[in-house]
Amino acid sequence: MKITEPPRTPEQRKADLLHRLGREIDIWVATADTEGVPCLVPLWFVWHDEAVWLCTRLTNPTGRNLRDGRRARLAFADTRDVVLVDGDVETFTAPEVPPEAAEAFRAKTGWDPREDHASYAFFRVRPSAVQAWCEEHELPRRHLMRDGAWVV
């Protein structure tokens, strides 16, 4: 999108966002440890049952931060089509993860962490706030979700 094009409606932004959640495979995951030290990594994900599902080891900083901090900010890599998702995190070990979520993750990524090392865990990020915009002229109506409810 170019700045000379008219801004998308909030409804179009939501449709574009949901399309990206289904199409993209990587998402940036920002967390912080108990001392506030930030950590930013890309992870595979799947959008399933109105939540973003991630998987990583509980033994690495991101896994510990997701489990202990219980909050994350997610973003796609494209700086001309910005999506920011803030959410609350729940942690599931491989035996605890809902089978439908694990299967959706496997179907999208081709990898089933349940069959890998026992230190892998799944993380459900339930969005509490979502922003999406292309260029400055879409900033005024960038909020698509607030307090866990879609506003469009």
Side-chain angles (χ1 to χ4, degrees):
M1 170 176 273
K2 295 181 180 179
I3 193 99
T4 56
E5 295 178 24
R8 296 171 296 168
T9 65
E11 293 78 15
Q12 185 59 53
R13 289 185 214 185
K14 181 180 177 183
D16 292 347
L17 163 70
L18 293 173
H19 178 73
R20 287 185 79 183
L21 286 167
R23 180 189 78 225
E24 306 262 350
I25 193 165
D26 298 310
I27 199 161
W28 285 100
V29 179
T31 60
D33 68 14
T34 56
E35 296 180 16
V37 177
C39 182
L40 178 66
V41 299
L43 292 178
W44 285 351
F45 80 97
V46 66
W47 176 250
H48 173 74
D49 197 21
E50 295 293 311
V52 174
W53 287 85
L54 310 165
C55 187
T56 192
R57 292 177 187 252
L58 281 169
T59 55
N60 69 31
T62 299
R64 287 190 304 271
N65 294 348
L66 288 166
R67 179 194 62 209
D68 299 342
R70 300 181 49 95
R71 297 212 26 91
R73 173 168 273 186
L74 311 175
F76 290 118
D78 190 343
T79 60
R80 297 276 181 197
D81 188 2
V82 177
V83 172
L84 298 177
V85 177
D86 294 312
D88 300 313
V89 178
E90 294 176 79
T91 303
F92 298 84
T93 63
E96 298 169 333
V97 67
E100 304 82 23
E103 183 54 30
F105 190 89
R106 187 209 56 77
K108 184 175 183 185
T109 66
W111 172 52
D112 189 343
R114 297 171 297 178
E115 297 174 0
D116 211 316
H117 196 274
S119 65
Y120 281 103
F122 288 85
F123 302 89
R124 177 172 48 200
V125 182
R126 290 206 182 269
S128 57
V130 176
Q131 301 176 60
W133 72 91
C134 288
E135 303 294 344
E136 184 275 334
H137 68 303
E138 286 193 352
L139 282 173
R141 298 179 71 191
R142 68 187 174 273
H143 296 278
L144 303 179
M145 177 184 282
R146 289 189 175 154
D147 299 321
W150 293 105
V151 295
V152 292

